Amino acid sequence: MILEEKLRTVVEIKKGVHWVGAVDWHVRDFHGYSVNKGSTYNSYLVLDEKVTLFDAVKKPFKSDMLHNIYKVIEPSKIDYLVVNHVEPDHSGSIPEIIETTKPEKVFCSSRGKKALLDHYHREDWPYEVVESGQEIPIGKRTITFLETRMLHWPDSMFSYIKEESLLISSDAFGQHWATSERFNDQVDSSELMAHAVKYYANILLPYSGLVQKLVAEVKKMNIKIDMIAPDHGLIWRDNPLQIVEAYDKWSKQGCKRKALIIYDTMWHSTEMMAKAIADGLIESGISIKLMNLAVDHRSDVITEMIDSKAVILGSPTLNNGMLPRMADMLCYMKGLRPINKFGAAFGSYGWSGEAVKQIVKSLEDMKMKLFGAGINLQFVPNHEGLKKCVDLGREMGAAIKDAVPV
Amino acid sequence: MGKYVCQVCGYVYDPAAGDPDNGVNPGTTFADLPADWVCPVCGADKDSFSPE
């Protein structure tokens, strides 16, 4: 209780378990994912016979983290360091943390050890490789490790403390959102879910098949979970399983009767086409979002894509190719491996018109069900050209209604 | 028919099972996988695999 009252920046999330991470209020670009409200790097300190620290923070925040640890305990008293994930936003400060705390053991997965060596080149750290299901007693408590390979790196794992019914879930179930609050019940729940789905769409989407297996595995293990503590954002304390259910839903990649029209435009001709396609879809009772890549960030487009049945992309032709922002969007989308989508392409051109063909090729590579060979209109669309666009919207609208139950 | 392990993520290619999601029929040996086949879990290419 003293800690709660006097040192409010360190939160005791469970008796003897402290959040000692850092809040990054000003990060806005996370390797190309826009994080408009910053992020947090969560780290957890468990006081037991073996004082154990779970994960660390990004390198520039090492002092924030050490300062937080000092508020709880002298850092040299830390015995064990658990590295659930080696990505530098969670491991960048590890060299300094190890230097300061001189832990007896550093627990990680086999691929975690390799990744730590490949990042920090320190053969002398006291690595202790653990496997899925392995239990390590730390006193009154026991840590159980669960490897979660490719969720979302080969090294990723979860740590579960059964005596606390606490799942420390690494990047899974996280959100990029800088807040002074630490728990989900202290913030607006719809905004929290919006950050959580954006995180899923931009980080975990390509591994949705593995998420399905993991959710099934966790359910089968029948373990008690009354708190899920991810390495970014808010801790799930109130109804923690809601985020597991949400992952179950998102990983199935089920869609709504929704279409996304994504475009870039030079002199508004491609934009006119986008709006005409939108008209055809809306008329068919489909919910649409029009996203202009000059103002909508790729990571927001992907977030909207997750529950869209159709993605319809438009670009004019510039110098015999598509506009660079569309190439960026397609490169990013392909990497995130969306499944079960309907696709189509459109664009205005001056004299050569390669952009539409290039987009169609990308959609084929993503194994989308294509509607037509793309609509390519010269210079400024006339009524007849726009009618083709409306008709494409109607055709896709009907197909979406057939494919997606109400 | 030998199994092959992805050195990146640990996925095991089992010829008996194939990779039907990506058009590879059961009974396809690792050597017979197309050159552009990639690990269905992490996307690593064939060169990233070693015999189990």
Side-chain angles (χ1 to χ4, degrees), chain A residues 230-243:
Chain A
D231 280 358
H232 292 291
L234 283 299
I235 296 165
W236 302 89
R237 173 173 70 180
D238 176 50
N239 183 16
L241 293 178
Q242 65 179 297
I243 190 63

Side-chain angles (χ1 to χ4, degrees), chain A residues 264-309:
Chain A
D264 200 352
T265 194
M266 289 169 72
W267 300 108
H268 303 291
S269 293
T270 300
E271 183 168 66
M272 286 167 72
M273 297 173 73
K275 288 180 173 172
I277 295 167
D279 282 349
L281 284 157
I282 295 167
E283 192 190 281
S284 313
I286 305 301
S287 172
I288 67 115
K289 279 253 157 59
L290 212 54
M291 305 200 86
N292 179 345
L293 295 175
V295 295
D296 288 309
H297 193 271
R298 68 173 85 81
S299 55
D300 292 315
V301 173
I302 291 298
T303 309
E304 287 292 344
M305 182 193 72
I306 196 168
D307 62 354
S308 297
K309 183 64 192 171

Side-chain angles (χ1 to χ4, degrees), chain A residues 111 149-150 154 207 210 337, chain B residues 6-10 40-42:
Chain A
R111 278 163 180 77
R149 283 183 191 173
M150 294 319 295
Y207 308 112
L210 292 175
R337 297 194 242 159
Chain B
C6 175
Q7 295 307 305
V8 177
C9 72
V41 174
C42 72

Side-chain angles (χ1 to χ4, degrees), chain A residues 100-366:
Chain A
T100 310
T101 64
K102 301 204 167 32
E104 184 188 324
K105 287 177 180 172
V106 175
F107 294 98
C108 53
S109 64
S110 60
R111 278 163 180 77
K113 179 180 174 186
K114 182 178 184 309
L116 282 168
L117 286 167
D118 289 344
H119 277 77
Y120 304 107
H121 318 291
R122 292 292 299 261
E123 297 279 352
D124 58 323
W125 287 351
Y127 303 102
E128 184 88 13
V129 169
V130 289
E131 290 178 350
S132 230
Q134 195 170 334
E135 296 194 331
I136 301 288
I138 58 168
K140 286 181 293 184
R141 303 176 183 85
T142 312
I143 310 166
T144 309
F145 298 101
L146 177 65
E147 281 196 70
T148 56
R149 283 183 191 173
M150 294 319 295
L151 291 175
H152 64 114
W153 273 24
D155 53 85
S156 301
M157 65 177 189
F158 288 177
S159 298
Y160 174 68
I161 303 176
K162 60 185 170 192
E163 293 81 359
E164 304 288 351
S165 304
L166 170 66
L167 181 68
I168 297 173
S169 62
S170 185
D171 273 343
F173 312 126
Q175 336 88 39
H176 286 306
W177 189 11
T179 55
S180 55
E181 293 75 15
R182 296 275 72 86
F183 296 104
N184 66 323
D185 48 276
Q186 296 170 321
V187 298
D188 179 74
S189 59
S190 54
E191 181 168 2
L192 176 64
M193 269 304 170
H195 291 296
V197 71
K198 183 170 182 179
Y199 193 92
Y200 186 89
N202 284 278
I203 304 288
L204 291 154
L205 186 61
Y207 308 112
S208 287
L210 292 175
V211 173
Q212 278 290 298
K213 283 185 193 159
L214 179 70
V215 169
E217 197 180 337
V218 168
K219 281 182 177 166
K220 208 172 74 188
M221 284 161 73
N222 205 19
I223 53 176
K224 186 166 179 279
I225 296 173
D226 70 18
M227 187 179 287
I228 297 177
D231 280 358
H232 292 291
L234 283 299
I235 296 165
W236 302 89
R237 173 173 70 180
D238 176 50
N239 183 16
L241 293 178
Q242 65 179 297
I243 190 63
V244 179
E245 293 303 325
Y247 268 47
D248 191 22
K249 187 179 93 179
W250 298 331
S251 60
K252 284 177 181 147
Q253 300 197 51
C255 298
K256 292 181 183 163
R257 289 183 167 183
K258 175 179 165 185
L260 211 53
I261 301 169
I262 307 159
Y263 70 96
D264 200 352
T265 194
M266 289 169 72
W267 300 108
H268 303 291
S269 293
T270 300
E271 183 168 66
M272 286 167 72
M273 297 173 73
K275 288 180 173 172
I277 295 167
D279 282 349
L281 284 157
I282 295 167
E283 192 190 281
S284 313
I286 305 301
S287 172
I288 67 115
K289 279 253 157 59
L290 212 54
M291 305 200 86
N292 179 345
L293 295 175
V295 295
D296 288 309
H297 193 271
R298 68 173 85 81
S299 55
D300 292 315
V301 173
I302 291 298
T303 309
E304 287 292 344
M305 182 193 72
I306 196 168
D307 62 354
S308 297
K309 183 64 192 171
V311 285
I312 306 163
L313 296 112
S315 170
T317 294
L318 173 75
N319 301 332
N320 307 103
M322 66 181 95
L323 285 182
R325 280 189 288 248
M326 182 55 73
D328 168 314
M329 186 69 244
L330 286 166
C331 170
Y332 193 60
M333 187 182 284
K334 188 180 174 197
L336 290 167
R337 297 194 242 159
I339 57 165
N340 303 331
K341 304 289 186 204
F342 291 167
F346 63 96
S348 152
Y349 70 100
W351 45 93
S352 58
E354 290 87 346
V356 169
K357 262 180 276 177
Q358 292 171 357
I359 296 171
V360 166
K361 170 77 174 59
S362 289
L363 300 181
E364 280 170 353
D365 289 347
M366 287 187 261

